[in-house]
Amino acid sequence: MPWVGDGTGPQATARLPTTYPPFAALLFTPLSLPDTALLRTLATAGNLALLVVFVRLSLKLVGHARVRTVWWVSAAAVWCEPVWTTVRYGQINLLLAVLVLWDLTRRPAAGHDRWSGLGLGLAAAVKLTPALFPVFLLTTGLADRLRGGRGGPWLRHARGAAVAFTGATLLAAAVLPYDSWRFWTRMVFRASRVGLAEDTGNQALRGILARVLHTPDPVAVWAAAAAVLTALGLTVAVRAESRGRRAWAVCACAVTALLVSPVSWTHHWVWCVPLVLLLWTSGQRAAALGTLLVFWSYIPWWVPHGPGRPELHLGGVPLLLSAGYGVAGALFLALARTSSPGSGCGGAGVKP
């Protein structure tokens, strides 16, 4: 996108590099038709509507989908920094999260239908981070087979996501052949194209390591740590799913995807909403309030940031504050791993 922000200040003229797959360009093309003022209004209204849907699906995930609760939670959630900045910048994080949750909270009569995987596949075709969800389903199905099961529901769901992703990507390739070739053969491997790794807005593992190690891009350390974290996070998610705790599995997978992605800006962490709801409804009230406080506090922005790359020279408390969202995500994974099989409501977490 050529600009972000509210039309004032330095963000109004920020030139941002292309970070999404070509299929996203097809979806974003109509956004060039309205003038800036109208587009800002439509984006704000659309994101606020998506927030209500996201909260509704999050409550469904944890098993507490009451209409009155949806409105109260939405009113509180809009003040979480990831949600607020998503609305302010006109970002699509809520749309992607809605696609994922819609897909993972559906309960077709036969366990699957022609729509299973559609939301996941489209979300991954627009932005690669959600692609970990089909991997989670595939891994769960394979693990079930190793235990003597058939793994059918998970494998079919993963296959549906793969078909949807492939279809969307091939459509983009047919319409935008040069851009598709350039993205999938070159740009997708250039994590640096997105921005400075050490930027305090980057709450992914790569950003945290860059600030801790005081280096612009800790490629080797990050690659190794991300591989380990991906394995651990998927293990937590698959174990929760195999025990019928879909809510814990989905949230664990979301946190893992955010942590191992090369860049997860603060506004990508809209998944804090179902995280807090899950912790609260599972009886983990202190953890829920602590997590909510982290995302309500705008804590990453308390530290020096901006021109001059001061994030490379942080230490002590500022360094810890600059990793607030990542630390909260890691603590959630630890809690999800140690939670007993029977803890929490599980919500939509019955086996598919």
Side-chain angles (χ1 to χ4, degrees), residues 76-247:
V78 76
W79 298 106
C80 290
E81 190 269 351
V83 176
W84 175 255
T85 49
T86 289
V87 174
R88 181 172 182 262
Y89 296 163
Q91 291 287 341
I92 62 168
N93 308 299
L94 289 168
L95 173 61
L96 298 179
V98 164
L99 285 172
V100 170
L101 280 190
W102 169 79
D103 204 333
L104 291 174
T105 57
R106 295 176 65 249
R107 281 294 173 267
H112 71 284
D113 59 18
R114 69 180 65 181
W115 304 109
S116 295
L118 177 63
L120 296 177
L122 291 179
V126 172
K127 189 175 180 66
L128 294 179
T129 306
L132 191 63
F133 285 97
V135 175
F136 147 69
L137 291 171
L138 175 63
T139 306
T140 303
L142 295 176
D144 187 59
R145 282 194 172 183
L146 288 176
R147 292 192 300 267
R150 301 180 62 183
W154 296 287
L155 295 177
R156 286 190 292 268
H157 203 158
R159 183 172 63 242
V163 169
F165 172 82
T166 302
T169 302
L170 290 177
L171 174 63
V175 179
L176 302 168
Y178 171 77
D179 295 298
S180 295
W181 176 260
R182 181 170 179 266
F183 180 86
W184 291 110
T185 60
R186 293 168 50 194
M187 304 308 294
V188 71
F189 303 108
R190 298 183 182 178
S192 60
R193 77 190 188 283
V194 182
L196 299 175
E198 79 276 1
D199 193 314
T200 190
N202 183 11
Q203 291 295 300
L205 178 64
R206 176 168 166 259
I208 295 172
L209 287 174
R211 293 188 290 272
V212 169
L213 300 176
H214 308 294
T215 180
D217 198 356
V219 179
V221 176
W222 167 67
V228 172
L229 184 55
T230 300
L232 292 176
L234 282 176
T235 298
V236 172
V238 170
R239 185 174 299 171
E241 177 73 7
S242 66
R243 293 170 175 172
R245 298 189 299 154
R246 170 62 62 90

Side-chain angles (χ1 to χ4, degrees), residues 132 228-237 245 248-260 269 275 279 326-339:
L132 191 63
V228 172
L229 184 55
T230 300
L232 292 176
L234 282 176
T235 298
V236 172
R245 298 189 299 154
W248 286 93
V250 170
C251 289
C253 186
V255 167
T256 302
L258 289 168
L259 286 174
V260 302
W269 285 78
L275 255 65
L279 291 170
V327 170
L331 291 175
F332 174 83
L333 287 178
L335 184 60
R337 180 181 181 276
T338 58
S339 279

Side-chain angles (χ1 to χ4, degrees), residues 22-101:
F23 178 68
L26 298 182
L27 300 183
F28 295 163
T29 298
L31 299 181
S32 64
L33 299 178
D35 60 42
T36 301
L38 177 58
L39 179 59
R40 186 180 297 122
T41 300
L42 293 175
T44 300
N47 266 325
L48 290 175
L50 284 168
L51 173 61
V52 175
V53 177
F54 183 46
V55 169
R56 170 71 174 80
L57 292 172
S58 298
L59 288 167
K60 181 180 180 182
L61 181 72
V62 302
H64 289 265
R66 301 185 183 95
V67 175
R68 182 177 298 181
T69 306
V70 171
W71 294 107
W72 282 110
V73 173
S74 299
V78 76
W79 298 106
C80 290
E81 190 269 351
V83 176
W84 175 255
T85 49
T86 289
V87 174
R88 181 172 182 262
Y89 296 163
Q91 291 287 341
I92 62 168
N93 308 299
L94 289 168
L95 173 61
L96 298 179
V98 164
L99 285 172
V100 170
L101 280 190

